[in-house]
Amino acid sequence: MSRRAVNPGRRASDGGLPTVASLLHHKSRSPSVLTMALLALGVIILIVYFNSGSGVTVTSRESVSRAEGSCTSEVMQALPYLKKAYGSAMQKVLHVGPDSCTVVSNLLKEGKEAWGVEPYDLDDADSSCKSLVRKGFVRLSDIKFSLPYRPDSFNLVVVSDALDYLTPRYLNKTLPDLARVSTDGLVIFTGNPGQQKAKVSELPKFGRPAKLRSNSWWTRYFIQTGLTENEGPLKKFEQAASKGNYEPDCQIFHLSS
């Protein structure tokens, strides 16, 4: 890259293209020392700019899904309170969303039966995640279509960082299907409208920018689709969260299936 940037500058200083030298010393054909120094400085700046630019892009791709507008990390924080709220219903759990391997692995270590659906690519998955995929604990599946499970396959279905990327057209199909495979309810984590949306570098992975909807929007939508609030676990969750001084950044909805 540096060679390509330097050569045009040298040809330009020889008179092929207009240069700073031609503007400052139009009567002289030989470039001054100052002109050569300016050209060299410009080439160095270009090289540094392009090299640093690629580094920034890599960092943003690795951090966006785990930090800005992410609710999957919120699931990990909420798990202790979900266990107190749902009790035995946490024995057989399906997690739907990115980084599903992390959630599933955590629950398996605690002796729970857990499975996961990863709606996005797993190209950057580590060896532990790939092992869960090979064993069938985590599946790669497009949630816009029917989930590969029978009705009432799980006690509880937990969803994060997935529904925010669906239009109402697909939500109409996906939400009833999530309820179909659950016996004791759904726990849905969605982003707050105040959270920053996924960066441009994440759009190829998610397919579209997140639509961060308000609490009132989701409440109206759940009523329209026939899903009701799961009042018992909701109260237990709020009590446990209050005692633990847990204040979620994401919106959390507890729904009956």
Side-chain angles (χ1 to χ4, degrees), residues 134-197:
R134 286 195 301 269
K135 294 176 182 178
F137 287 106
V138 176
R139 294 188 179 187
L140 182 63
S141 180
D142 190 340
I143 62 172
K144 294 193 295 293
F145 304 97
S146 182
L147 293 172
Y149 301 106
R150 295 179 180 178
D152 303 331
S153 293
F154 310 96
N155 297 128
L156 191 69
V157 174
V158 180
V159 188
S160 61
D161 290 326
L163 301 185
D164 289 329
Y165 295 90
L166 297 182
T167 63
R169 172 190 173 188
Y170 287 113
L171 282 174
N172 291 337
K173 299 178 181 179
T174 300
L175 273 175
D177 197 46
L178 292 170
R180 176 184 65 84
V181 300
S182 170
T183 60
D184 296 314
L186 309 174
V187 181
I188 297 176
F189 290 72
T190 67
N192 275 311
Q195 290 176 311
Q196 185 173 347
K197 297 180 181 180

Side-chain angles (χ1 to χ4, degrees), residues 23-251:
L23 296 176
L24 297 178
H25 305 284
H26 58 87
K27 294 183 179 180
S28 175
R29 294 184 178 179
S30 59
S32 66
V33 175
L34 176 60
T35 302
M36 296 301 294
L38 289 173
L39 288 173
L41 179 61
V43 171
I44 293 173
I45 292 174
L46 286 173
I47 294 173
V48 172
Y49 172 78
F50 285 115
N51 287 338
S52 62
S54 59
V56 171
T57 301
V58 171
T59 302
S60 65
R61 285 177 181 172
E62 293 176 348
S63 62
V64 161
S65 64
R66 294 174 175 79
E68 299 175 354
S70 171
C71 291
T72 298
S73 59
E74 189 83 66
V75 173
M76 298 301 298
Q77 298 179 52
L79 277 179
Y81 310 105
L82 289 174
K83 294 169 187 173
K84 293 181 179 179
Y86 287 90
S88 60
M90 287 292 293
Q91 187 60 36
K92 198 172 185 180
V93 180
L94 173 69
H95 175 261
V96 179
D99 295 331
S100 196
C101 289
T102 302
V103 179
V104 171
S105 177
N106 181 280
L107 290 171
L108 289 175
K109 289 177 181 178
E110 296 183 1
K112 310 293 184 183
E113 294 183 56
W115 288 264
V117 171
E118 170 64 61
Y120 312 117
D121 65 78
L122 289 170
D123 293 340
D124 57 349
D126 57 23
S127 58
S128 176
C129 183
K130 291 179 180 178
S131 175
L132 290 174
V133 174
R134 286 195 301 269
K135 294 176 182 178
F137 287 106
V138 176
R139 294 188 179 187
L140 182 63
S141 180
D142 190 340
I143 62 172
K144 294 193 295 293
F145 304 97
S146 182
L147 293 172
Y149 301 106
R150 295 179 180 178
D152 303 331
S153 293
F154 310 96
N155 297 128
L156 191 69
V157 174
V158 180
V159 188
S160 61
D161 290 326
L163 301 185
D164 289 329
Y165 295 90
L166 297 182
T167 63
R169 172 190 173 188
Y170 287 113
L171 282 174
N172 291 337
K173 299 178 181 179
T174 300
L175 273 175
D177 197 46
L178 292 170
R180 176 184 65 84
V181 300
S182 170
T183 60
D184 296 314
L186 309 174
V187 181
I188 297 176
F189 290 72
T190 67
N192 275 311
Q195 290 176 311
Q196 185 173 347
K197 297 180 181 180
K199 290 184 178 180
V200 175
S201 60
E202 282 294 291
L203 296 186
K205 176 179 179 180
F206 295 124
R208 56 179 287 116
K211 180 68 174 179
L212 303 183
R213 304 169 174 104
S214 67
N215 184 286
S216 59
W217 189 95
W218 281 111
T219 301
R220 289 194 303 270
Y221 186 79
F222 293 144
I223 293 174
Q224 292 172 3
T225 53
L227 293 172
T228 59
E229 194 173 70
N230 203 347
E231 295 183 1
L234 170 59
K235 291 180 180 178
K236 292 180 181 179
F237 178 83
E238 290 178 341
Q239 291 172 356
S242 177
K243 290 181 181 179
N245 296 319
Y246 168 63
E247 296 182 2
D249 292 325
C250 296
Q251 302 178 97

